[in-house]
Amino acid sequence: MFNSNIGRLRFFFYSAALLVAEIVTFVLCVVGTVGFEGLANSKPGPSREGLAAAVLVTSLVIVLFRANFAWRRSRDAQGSGWILWSYIVFSTLFAILQAGTVLVVKFDGEDSHSGLNLLGLALVGLWAVILAGKPAGGGSADMASSLSFDDFDPPGPLRGAAARQ
């Protein structure tokens, strides 16, 4: 199960399930450590260390699953190694920075974490490249032939014009 290839649809649904799992585990980490009110009222620093540690550990576990699914999809699509490893390294870095952000964020509405947002956008782009990879065994000629309009039969009044050509 953990070493078989997976197609696009399964990779998409596995990724969606991991996103939901990550959100749920983050909420459980907050509820299990300081609570939402405690998080909103606490000052950045040592009072949030337990929460940051819990978020880090659970995020890294999810990164392991995410890396496994990306590895399997990349192998199925004969994807580039640098894209796969970039995705794994950036996912790990994102998990570490996400846990660090919990330590330093102030809930006054003025904080902007544009660096973390840009890293998230890079992850989405790498994920999309892994998702869109061509299936193994199919060359570019096979993909081009599936997009051919040679056998196209236009509807209605255009049918006669296409037949005359």
Side-chain angles (χ1 to χ4, degrees):
M1 177 180 158
F2 288 110
N3 59 3
S4 63
N5 295 340
I6 60 175
R8 287 183 184 125
L9 189 62
R10 285 178 64 194
F11 180 69
F12 178 80
F13 284 124
Y14 286 171
S15 298
L18 284 176
L19 176 65
V20 170
E22 188 168 20
I23 292 169
V24 168
T25 57
F26 183 82
V27 169
L28 289 175
C29 287
V30 170
V31 169
T33 55
V34 295
F36 287 110
E37 188 175 323
L39 178 62
N41 295 330
S42 67
K43 297 203 183 281
S47 62
R48 298 184 188 170
E49 286 177 351
L51 172 62
V55 167
L56 178 64
V57 169
T58 57
S59 293
L60 288 177
V61 168
I62 289 178
V63 165
L64 287 174
F65 283 104
R66 188 174 286 143
N68 180 304
F69 297 145
W71 185 285
R72 291 168 53 196
R73 173 66 193 137
S74 183
R75 187 177 58 217
D76 180 47
Q78 297 174 349
S80 175
W82 73 269
I83 291 175
L84 173 67
W85 285 107
S86 297
Y87 181 72
I88 292 170
V89 168
F90 285 176
S91 294
T92 305
L93 184 62
F94 189 85
I96 293 168
L97 292 176
Q98 182 181 16
T101 302
V102 172
L103 281 174
V104 298
V105 70
K106 295 178 185 175
F107 295 102
D108 58 4
E110 293 182 18
D111 280 345
S112 174
H113 306 291
S114 58
L116 197 58
N117 294 338
L118 289 175
L119 183 59
L121 285 175
L123 277 171
V124 169
L126 289 169
W127 175 85
V129 169
I130 293 171
L131 175 70
K134 66 178 174 61
S140 60
D142 294 336
M143 288 177 57
S145 68
S146 70
L147 299 173
S148 173
F149 293 106
D150 293 338
D151 299 327
F152 179 68
D153 189 21
L158 297 177
R159 187 179 312 220
R164 282 178 271 182
Q165 291 181 5

